Amino acid sequence: MRIPRPGKIVCVGRNYVEHAKELGNDVPERPLLFLKPPSALLGDGETIVLPAASSQVEHEGEIGVVIGRALRNADERAAREAVGGITCVNDVTARDLQKTDGQWTRAKGFDTFCPAGPVVWTPPPDFDLRLLRIFCRVNGTVRQAGKAADMVFSIPALLSYISQVMTLEPGDLVSTGTPAGVGPLVAGDVVEIEIPGVGVLRNPVASAV
Ligand code: MG
């Protein structure tokens, strides 16, 4: 099953201090934004395909936010009210191409590089989004464990910031950055992204044939 196809997928880089450090980067002064194409979307249970162009594909478990109502030039309060749902995202990345290309479009944009789901959970209006946690497991071993409370820029701050640039429309997906622990995926792996209370997104990994 796939989540409803978003009009756009907006992603945030280096939004956890420890992850920025592990790749030798500083935490940005402002949210670092990039886009993934909606054609990269993959459903729960579907296969992540390792492209021949990369020899270093990595998982990035992330908290995904599905926009519930249009946002433009919004403050953080309005941004919080526009959170339509929470879902698990795997921001699959060809790390070698990310480094050599400079621009991240190819590294982040291959088909199957945006597993999302398995469900979209609607938080109650008074739910504190900082309580969300995110885990990534590969073949049952925990690789990443993060807390929204450790984000450099909170979910409402991110949505507000993005809305100063582009209108966020209902159904758009915002992926809020990955905690430390990113690592390689190889053919035969099974990768799971879990947000406790939301669900587990599980995808096998295979080589392109
Ligand atoms: Mg990411």
Side-chain angles (χ1 to χ4, degrees):
M1 188 203 109
R2 295 187 185 190
I3 67 167
R5 184 169 170 137
K8 58 184 171 293
I9 303 169
V10 186
C11 299
V12 181
R14 302 172 191 164
N15 198 31
Y16 291 81
V17 173
E18 293 304 317
H19 168 64
K21 274 192 204 168
E22 73 178 341
L23 295 182
N25 297 305
D26 292 326
V27 172
E29 287 180 25
R30 292 173 290 280
L32 174 58
L33 305 181
F34 63 95
L35 296 167
K36 277 169 105 81
S39 50
L41 205 66
L42 194 71
D44 179 47
E46 297 182 320
T47 301
I48 298 168
V49 178
L50 305 174
S54 172
S55 57
Q56 190 187 3
V57 173
E58 298 194 345
H59 56 81
E60 292 190 0
E62 305 196 0
I63 296 168
V65 177
V66 177
I67 301 300
R69 67 174 81 154
L71 271 187
R72 184 165 180 273
N73 293 329
D75 60 19
E76 292 189 22
R77 182 190 176 97
R80 171 62 186 86
E81 291 173 355
V83 172
I86 300 294
T87 196
C88 307
V89 174
N90 192 347
D91 174 23
V92 180
T93 302
R95 194 72 65 202
D96 48 356
L97 304 184
Q98 184 184 28
K99 290 173 183 162
T100 56
D101 282 6
Q103 299 282 333
W104 299 358
T105 304
R106 188 166 66 129
K108 299 280 192 178
F110 284 97
D111 288 356
T112 76
F113 270 28
C114 192
V119 298
V120 178
W121 173 70
T122 304
D126 59 351
F127 180 82
D128 183 352
L129 297 173
R130 292 174 297 184
L131 296 176
L132 293 169
R133 297 162 74 211
I134 177 78
F135 294 91
C136 174
R137 292 182 292 270
V138 177
N139 306 325
T141 300
V142 175
R143 293 260 190 100
Q144 298 182 271
K147 299 181 290 200
D150 290 336
M151 289 179 179
V152 177
F153 301 102
S154 70
I155 290 171
L158 291 172
L159 300 187
S160 170
Y161 182 81
I162 296 166
S163 83
Q164 315 298 321
V165 181
M166 62 190 88
T167 301
L168 285 168
E169 298 170 322
D172 284 352
L173 177 62
V174 176
S175 200
T176 58
T178 202
V182 299
L185 294 173
V186 298
D189 282 347
V190 175
V191 55
E192 295 176 323
I193 312 298
E194 177 170 13
I195 301 174
V198 176
V200 179
L201 170 68
R202 186 178 291 108
N203 298 94
V205 180
S207 295
V209 288

